[in-house]
Amino acid sequence: MNQKFKDRISWWQLMAKKERNPWISFVLYYFIFDAYLSEGSQSGSDRKKLKWFLDNDNPLKTSLADSWKTKLLPEAVY
């Protein structure tokens, strides 16, 4: 992914972090996720974007998997 795209995503992430309304923050994070999948998969189809995400290694997938292991699984055990 090119630097211009990464800069735009970073800007949107900053806006989502600053947002006080949780619904607006959620929508911004969804836009970031969708843009990331669109850029990575080079597809406009949701099915193809998700297939690309699941079938390929990428930093977002690794980050989500690590978060699941360190944050969610310990909570689920108790």
Side-chain angles (χ1 to χ4, degrees):
M1 293 182 197
N2 67 42
Q3 189 59 43
K4 189 175 179 180
F5 174 77
K6 290 178 184 178
D7 291 343
R8 278 187 285 152
I9 292 294
S10 295
W11 186 83
W12 279 105
Q13 184 180 21
L14 179 63
M15 298 306 293
K17 284 182 180 180
K18 289 181 178 181
E19 180 56 52
R20 291 182 179 204
N21 184 318
W23 290 107
I24 294 174
S25 182
F26 171 80
V27 169
L28 289 172
Y29 279 115
Y30 174 78
F31 287 163
I32 292 167
F33 180 68
D34 189 60
Y36 184 86
L37 294 184
S38 295
E39 181 74 13
S41 69
Q42 294 295 303
S43 176
S45 162
D46 287 342
R47 181 181 296 233
K48 289 179 183 177
K49 288 189 272 188
L50 289 175
K51 182 168 176 25
W52 171 84
F53 181 72
L54 296 171
D55 291 348
N56 297 283
D57 289 333
N58 58 72
L60 181 59
K61 183 176 173 181
T62 302
S63 176
L64 291 173
D66 290 346
S67 292
W68 173 261
K69 290 175 189 171
T70 60
K71 295 177 184 172
L72 297 176
L73 282 181
E75 294 294 326
V77 173
Y78 297 106

